[in-house]
Amino acid sequence: MQDDPTTMPVARYVLKAIQANGVDHVFMVPGGVVDPFLNQFGTGDEDVKAIVAASETGAAYMADGYARASGRFGVCMGIGGPGTANMIGPLATAYTDESPVLALAGEIPTAWNGRGGFQDASEAGLNDISMLSPVTEMAMKVPEADMVPHLLDRAFRTMLGQSLRPVSLSFPKEIQTQTLNSQQHPVPVLHDSARTPRAFDLKGAEQLCQGLIQASEQGKANVSILVGSGAIRAEATQALITFAETYQIPVATTLKAKGVFPENHPLSLGVFGYSGTQHATLALLHQHALAAGQSEIADNQLLLVLGSSLNQRDTMRWDRALTPEAGIYQADLDIGIFDKNFPVQFPIQGDVSAVLDWLTMPVQTERLKPLQAMNSRRQSWLRTIKDLPRFYEPEDLNSHAVPMNPARVIAELQRIAPKDSVMIGDSGAHRAFAGHYWQCDGPRQYLTATALAPMGWAIPAGVGAKVANPDHPCVVITGDGCMLMNGIEIQTAARHQLPLVVLVINNSALGNVYLRAETDNAKALTTLATHDWVAFSRALGGDGIVVKCPEELAQAFDRAFTAKGPFVIDARCDPNIQTPVNPWRQELAHPDWSES
């Protein structure tokens, strides 16, 4: 008698549900209470495949990187107790950055709960659910096999709802092997409309349209746009380009949204806020233009914010000078963020693409002729800004100094990296150099954790990004301090033969805190040994090259992009180079600006 193909163990059912929703890899660490899951992974085209990480911390960061790079969700798996505990930091990072991650945990058999068993993380033991609840939108234990379809569907809907958040499901070991009939319990699959809400507040959009018309009729030509990560989720790049080009409106992005508006576009101002460009700062904050002696640059008069929460880094430390005379119009799906972080006069609840599509409809285009009539004046305003260098310290891009200037390293990488490269930036001084000098020309081509911003995130996240984008070069920009934390995940890339370029800005220091250190002891505490990260990579199955002078960079990058596995470029850099966050430092030096 043949097996019934419609009946399957819970572990296989869960993997089929994951695959049916567009995800083909799970990042995991094997362990006794997930053995039934381990037996259901395969290697064929129709199978969900396992990527085995060095630790559950790495596995969860990989799932986060996979989610950000793919636009889908990421999945990580480990045992309850110590495995779950290792996932807490990564899940907190995903939660604060609104990255959808499904964490799956195995638990001891239900009959063992509270009996002093090994690795008891049940409600009667360590209680994984209580640990997971603060860092997930939903954390639940599966009580019986028949509940699996309902709880999976609920997890997907919660994770991919109005706000993208991580969720977790814990499976007692005996439930993983119990069976479900897929005809009686169809695999839950979310429709695209459930994944990408297209909410649209017509009243708010009408107010925006009227505001643009009124400002134009009053001669207020200087309109600009600040775009946040909500535009990435909305896949709004083309709609944004169309709107900006129609009305010749300059566009700045937040660091998290870098690339959602191509930075090679004539209307691009680059990043605004932390590690932002001089162009974006001069356009949005007139006080910086005056302080720099650029009085000929007129003030911004109306700001349209699309998909940014206007947090600390997206507002230059909540600078109250970010108050154009015709007001701020903020469009976002989440009504809870209006006025939460920064005062906004005109909120518009709506998906960014929906708002832009409405604005570019023929009826609105006809109404917005007064705005279009001001195009030449906006072009003139933008020219006064772009007559100045885009970057701070642009001369550093050609520095011949030894030890190297990180700006020169980024410049050489930009020159050689293929245009479709995905950049994954870690947390530290190197993030400021990468965010400022690297120019990104597409959405999801620059990934970085911006809220909690843990050090070492980018190395495993880069593995996840490469799995999501096997045909795109993926480059991690990290530091030696970050390598000490999660550099071990280079072995995961080597084990799974993933070509991943890892650029280590090796300055023998914890860069940002080293730069801030005021005493000899503080300098000593933030100084690191100069480790050989190429030898480290080779010990884990990768390769690499140590680079000590700028003239060696081009050949090193050429080798890196043709490598068949992980390739580390250990770039020896000067720890004393100030990061290119000039206006940010001015804000710190002049706190009264933020109170004005």
Side-chain angles (χ1 to χ4, degrees):
M1 183 177 178
Q2 291 184 340
D3 293 338
D4 182 355
T6 64
T7 300
M8 64 189 77
V10 162
R12 187 186 308 169
Y13 182 94
V14 171
L15 295 183
K16 280 189 172 294
I18 290 167
Q19 186 179 48
N21 283 275
V23 174
D24 49 13
H25 286 81
V26 172
F27 304 91
M28 70 169 303
V29 174
V33 289
V34 292
D35 282 351
F37 275 101
L38 195 67
N39 293 329
Q40 298 301 326
F41 289 109
T43 59
D45 292 341
E46 301 301 317
D47 295 318
V48 175
K49 301 166 187 66
I51 300 290
V52 176
S55 74
E56 294 87 358
T57 298
Y61 281 141
M62 289 173 196
D64 185 8
Y66 180 96
R68 296 181 197 232
S70 68
R72 300 187 292 275
F73 62 91
V75 184
C76 56
M77 180 186 293
I79 66 171
T84 299
N86 284 341
M87 295 182 191
I88 297 301
L91 291 175
T93 300
Y95 188 92
T96 54
D97 261 9
E98 296 193 14
S99 181
V101 173
L102 172 61
L104 303 174
E107 301 291 358
I108 63 168
T110 302
W112 297 6
N113 290 2
R115 298 177 61 190
F118 179 62
Q119 294 180 332
D120 182 1
S122 69
E123 301 93 321
L126 179 64
N127 195 349
D128 272 353
I129 302 303
S130 66
M131 285 198 298
L132 288 161
S133 292
V135 296
T136 60
E137 194 70 11
M138 177 189 117
M140 296 193 71
K141 176 180 176 180
V142 177
E144 57 183 73
D146 284 347
M147 287 293 292
V148 169
H150 168 69
L151 292 180
L152 270 175
D153 181 72
R154 181 174 170 184
F156 292 153
R157 292 178 185 278
T158 302
M159 176 174 58
L160 301 170
Q162 181 168 293
S163 296
L164 301 175
R165 300 287 191 189
V167 296
S168 72
L169 289 174
S170 298
F171 294 81
K173 188 173 183 180
E174 78 277 7
I175 289 178
Q176 298 170 37
T177 56
Q178 293 171 9
T179 59
L180 284 171
N181 187 296
S182 60
Q183 290 184 337
Q184 296 175 356
H185 301 285
V187 169
V189 180
L190 290 193
H191 296 295
D192 287 343
S193 57
R195 298 166 181 259
T196 310
R198 294 298 187 200
F200 181 65
D201 171 16
L202 182 57
K203 182 178 179 179
E206 180 63 33
Q207 190 174 38
L208 168 60
C209 189
Q210 290 288 351
L212 291 169
I213 294 168
Q214 184 177 357
S216 301
E217 291 177 340
Q218 293 174 353
K220 298 180 178 70
N222 299 348
V223 177
S224 61
I225 299 172
L226 175 63
V227 188
S229 58
I232 298 176
R233 183 188 184 186
E235 299 178 351
T237 292
Q238 190 52 56
L240 180 60
I241 291 171
T242 298
F243 180 71
E245 288 180 347
T246 301
Y247 301 104
Q248 292 297 294
I249 300 176
V251 180
T253 76
T254 66
L255 181 59
K256 187 178 176 184
K258 187 177 176 69
V260 71
F261 189 82
E263 291 185 302
N264 64 354
H265 194 284
L267 292 170
S268 170
L269 295 167
V271 169
F272 176 72
Y274 182 82
S275 79
T277 67
Q278 179 168 229
H279 287 168
T281 305
L282 294 175
L284 269 61
L285 284 178
H286 191 233
Q287 62 189 14
H288 285 276
L290 297 177
Q294 304 295 335
S295 57
E296 71 278 8
I297 297 178
D299 200 358
N300 182 51
Q301 295 169 309
L302 186 151
L303 179 63
L304 174 56
V305 178
L306 301 172
S308 164
S309 68
L310 294 178
N311 58 42
Q312 177 198 24
R313 289 199 164 189
D314 297 352
T315 56
M316 200 70 78
R317 296 185 72 246
W318 307 292
D319 193 323
R320 294 306 175 100
L322 190 66
T323 311
E325 58 180 295
I328 296 176
Y329 292 78
Q330 182 182 15
D332 203 281
L333 269 177
D334 184 4
I335 61 174
I337 62 103
F338 297 136
D339 282 330
K340 176 184 177 183
N341 301 322
F342 195 81
V344 171
Q345 295 83 6
F346 305 106
I348 308 147
Q349 186 188 18
D351 168 79
V352 173
S353 281
V355 172
L356 290 170
D357 288 345
W358 183 82
L359 284 171
T360 52
M361 290 172 63
V363 63
Q364 268 64 253
T365 302
E366 180 67 25
R367 296 172 63 199
L368 288 170
K369 281 188 174 178
L371 178 65
Q372 195 167 34
M374 307 295 278
N375 283 9
S376 61
R377 287 181 55 182
R378 267 187 296 281
Q379 291 171 332
S380 177
W381 175 52
L382 182 58
R383 279 195 296 272
T384 64
I385 295 166
K386 290 208 165 186
D387 281 346
L388 296 168
R390 187 177 187 85
F391 303 122
Y392 296 101
E393 289 85 44
E395 65 278 3
D396 287 352
L397 294 169
N398 299 307
S399 170
H400 294 283
V402 177
M404 293 184 291
N405 188 311
R408 174 66 187 272
V409 180
I410 302 299
E412 288 298 312
L413 175 61
Q414 182 91 66
R415 188 173 66 83
I416 291 171
K419 294 297 183 184
D420 61 344
S421 295
V422 178
M423 186 65 57
I424 305 97
D426 225 325
S427 185
H430 48 274
R431 192 226 300 272
F433 287 100
H436 189 72
Y437 292 114
W438 177 263
Q439 296 296 277
C440 182
D441 296 332
R444 302 190 187 281
Q445 288 185 236
Y446 185 90
L447 311 176
T448 189
T450 57
L452 286 187
M455 289 175 61
W457 170 88
I459 301 158
V463 173
K466 184 60 184 177
V467 171
N469 291 284
D471 298 326
H472 290 255
C474 290
V475 184
V476 170
I477 299 181
T478 189
D480 45 340
C482 295
M483 287 291 287
L484 290 171
M485 296 186 178
N486 285 317
I488 193 67
E489 295 300 350
I490 287 173
Q491 70 85 34
T492 305
R495 173 177 180 170
H496 296 279
Q497 297 181 314
L498 299 171
L500 181 70
V501 178
V502 180
L503 170 60
V504 183
I505 303 297
N506 188 355
N507 58 10
S508 305
L510 298 171
N512 278 334
V513 285
Y514 177 88
L515 287 169
R516 294 194 301 267
E518 297 179 357
T519 67
D520 290 343
N521 186 50
K523 288 289 187 186
L525 291 171
T526 53
T527 297
L528 300 175
T530 304
H531 296 293
D532 184 342
W533 294 112
V534 172
F536 177 78
S537 175
R538 288 174 178 159
L540 297 174
D543 198 359
I545 185 170
V546 174
V547 179
K548 295 183 178 181
C549 65
E551 291 70 28
E552 299 171 352
L553 285 167
Q555 185 178 5
F557 286 128
D558 281 336
R559 284 186 58 189
F561 283 106
T562 57
K564 303 302 183 183
F567 192 97
V568 168
I569 296 175
D570 183 343
R572 302 294 170 87
C573 293
D574 187 343
N576 298 299
I577 305 295
Q578 287 290 332
T579 55
V581 293
N582 303 38
W584 192 266
R585 278 194 292 273
Q586 291 174 20
E587 291 288 333
L588 294 174
H590 300 281
D592 54 303
W593 281 5
S594 295
E595 301 300 325
S596 59

